[in-house]
DNA sequence: TATAGTTGTCTACATTAATAGACATTTCGG
DNA sequence: CCGAAATGTCTATTAATGTAGACAACTATA
């Protein structure tokens, strides 16, 4: 494990970014838990086979994320190491699942719209293309750090007050309940991982080049009628998805 | 949709790589299905706000992956666009799930070892750290393209012939059966997405900077006793994980 | 068979990333 | 209080990435 670690040149990904990713991974794996500090720059430079300045760029990026803090004369100490474990099950609800992992969770409404359902949305909700839907855009945070952003669609005919109820109650589950839907389950989830686009970088406050996991999910009422089509993008370096079967 | 698309500078990720990722995404989204071709280089350059040469670097990377092929005078045609949908459920088996999506699936044994269980492996298998385990390293391919590589651990005391049986039968499920375990289920799956390291780049034949989804799973016999601890890394741009609850 | 539209190749130059070395500054322990 | 060990800062140089423009080569079509 202490052999030279893997960074590649001429890949279109700068060495400092590759190294930042690897150090972040080591931190979340607990590789440095004994000392609570990142190894000295000169040691890391040796491990990765690069110049000390390149390592410094990587550490600067991690410091920018608030993950580490360098102190002259002492070393670079680890500030945070958690990766939130996010449950995915038939009964997935955002704040509930995080439970004791975060002191405070928040879902912020970024935008709302009423618009005709496009192809994949209509297909997911099993409605005719063009049927009106309510779209809600949210960013969800835990302890002040954004962990996901989502776009959801609800059939307008059945939940005409979705946006207002959500703004009042700050919860999809409660907004459903206020409109007569006491329970719902997830009937489908598809996952894809890719690089974050510019809007996701901004919303999730990610360092550019970061990865998002996109979960496309459909929730349905107890009779199996789809009530919500959502596309949630998680900041991949902050979460771990736990599948509950 | 035709507005300027999002690429960012000074991110540690070269523009050509960001653009290659975006074009790959557009291809798999079916954005270019009408023509079966990527838009002309000069058009893409305009959309992304970069020089034509930068787009050419991106297209060269995609051509290298075999995703597109440029033909002088005509344009750049799309060769492949599929993303394999990979089911994750209590009864996840590799070849079975892919079913009709690929004509031919293959699991290749890269290495085997007998070694004492380390921390997370022991914890997952619920055995004492240091207990002997059999480790199998596999690469799984569909239609000749690698889609995942995995490292699995099995308790040596219960499945002493795991490696031999797998080599003979080319299937984990069959190797279990040959050793008296007729059925097993997945009891835990955790997902994380990150950049591929050098060995994964080589095994999965990825272009550098690519993303992998790492699934850490535990399979257990019908009594709930863990029989397999595995870490599978999927090539993120080739698969979509479908959660079945 | 022109011609418009496309990819291929070349040169030149600017900007960013990475290397190299020197030395300052801070912390901590003997 | 000195010295080892760590981070901070500076200069200089090389390599990789991105821009710019010109023109060649090829394809399809009017």
């Amino acid at each position: 494990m202490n052999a030279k670690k893997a960074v590649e040149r001429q890949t279109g990904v700068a060495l400092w970014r590759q190294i930042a990713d690897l150090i972040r991974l080591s931190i979340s794996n607990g590789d440095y838990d004994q000392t609570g500090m990142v190894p000295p720059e000169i040691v890391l430079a040796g491990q990765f086979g690069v110049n000390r300045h390149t390592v410094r760029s990587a550490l600067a990026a991690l410091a920018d994320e608030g993950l580490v803090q360098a102190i002259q004369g002492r070393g670079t100490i680890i500030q945070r190491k958690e990766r939130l474990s996010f449950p995915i099950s038939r009964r997935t609800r955002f704040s509930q699942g995080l439970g004791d992992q975060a002191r405070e969770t928040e879902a912020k409404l970024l935008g709302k719209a009423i618009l005709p359902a496009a192809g994949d949305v209509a297909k997911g909700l099993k409605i005719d293309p063009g049927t009106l839907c309510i779209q809600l855009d949210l960013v969800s945070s835990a302890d002040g750090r954004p962990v996901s952003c989502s776009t959801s669609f609800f059939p307008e005919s059945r939940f005409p007050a979705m946006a207002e109820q959500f703004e009042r109650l700050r919860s999809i589950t409660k907004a459903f309940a206020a409109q007569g839907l006491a329970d719902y389950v997830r009937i489908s989830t598809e996952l894809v991982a890719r690089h974050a686009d510019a809007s996701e970088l901004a919303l999730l406050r990610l360092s550019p080049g970061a990865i998002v996991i996109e979960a496309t999910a459909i929730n349905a009422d107890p009779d199996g009628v789809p009530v919500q089509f959502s596309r949630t993008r998680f900041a991949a370096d902050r979460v771990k998805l736990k599948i509950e079967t």
Side-chain angles (χ1 to χ4, degrees), chain A:
Chain A
M1 217 59 148
N2 272 341
K4 191 172 291 186
K5 290 174 191 171
V7 288
E8 312 229 328
R9 289 147 200 271
Q10 288 171 315
T11 66
V13 181
L15 292 181
W16 63 265
R17 173 143 294 284
Q18 297 182 52
I19 290 169
D21 289 335
L22 288 171
I23 295 174
R24 191 194 295 108
L25 193 63
S26 288
I27 290 174
S28 78
N29 281 348
D31 292 357
Y32 308 138
D33 281 5
Q34 294 201 341
T35 59
M37 305 189 78
V38 173
E41 296 168 351
I42 193 73
V43 173
L44 289 170
Q47 287 178 358
F48 292 116
V50 302
N51 191 274
R52 179 178 154 232
H53 294 294
T54 308
V55 169
R56 283 180 61 75
S57 299
L59 290 175
L62 294 179
D64 213 54
E65 292 177 33
L67 207 63
V68 300
Q69 183 188 0
I71 299 178
Q72 188 171 151
R74 288 185 58 193
T76 303
I77 64 180
I78 294 169
Q79 300 283 45
R80 282 187 300 104
K81 55 157 295 191
E82 85 282 4
R83 219 181 239 262
L84 293 172
S85 179
F86 203 97
I88 300 224
S89 71
R90 280 180 73 75
R91 301 189 50 78
T92 291
R93 276 100 177 108
F94 179 76
S95 51
Q96 176 184 318
L98 290 180
D100 50 356
Q101 297 182 65
R103 289 182 301 285
E104 173 248 341
T105 61
E106 180 199 14
K108 187 171 152 200
L109 182 64
L110 290 180
K112 54 185 173 177
I114 298 183
L115 73 181
D120 48 352
V121 176
K123 199 170 152 194
L125 290 176
K126 290 187 190 157
I127 56 180
D128 292 325
T131 309
L132 286 185
C133 282
I134 294 180
Q135 174 182 336
L136 295 187
D137 291 305
L138 308 179
V139 172
S140 298
S141 306
D143 290 335
R145 294 176 59 74
V147 297
S148 69
C149 59
S150 65
T151 304
S152 292
F153 299 89
F154 308 87
E156 198 267 346
S157 57
R158 184 162 176 194
F159 304 103
M162 199 67 210
E164 294 71 27
Q165 293 295 353
F166 178 85
E167 281 186 294
R168 191 165 65 86
L169 300 163
R170 326 290 304 160
S171 153
I172 298 280
T173 304
K174 289 176 186 163
F176 271 137
Q179 290 170 94
L181 178 64
D183 191 28
Y184 61 94
V185 295
R186 181 163 292 203
I187 58 171
S188 153
T189 308
E190 288 185 348
L191 299 176
V192 156
R194 56 177 171 77
H195 290 109
D197 68 27
S199 74
E200 290 153 357
L201 291 178
L203 287 174
L204 299 175
R205 283 191 257 129
L206 290 169
S207 46
I211 298 172
V212 294
I213 302 176
E214 178 176 285
T216 305
I218 299 171
N219 285 327
D221 67 17
D223 297 330
V225 179
V227 296
Q228 177 184 14
F229 176 95
S230 69
R231 233 191 279 279
T232 304
R233 286 87 76 198
F234 294 94
D237 59 2
R238 288 180 202 151
V239 303
K240 169 168 84 175
L241 303 184
K242 193 172 175 63
I243 315 293
E244 296 175 344
T245 53

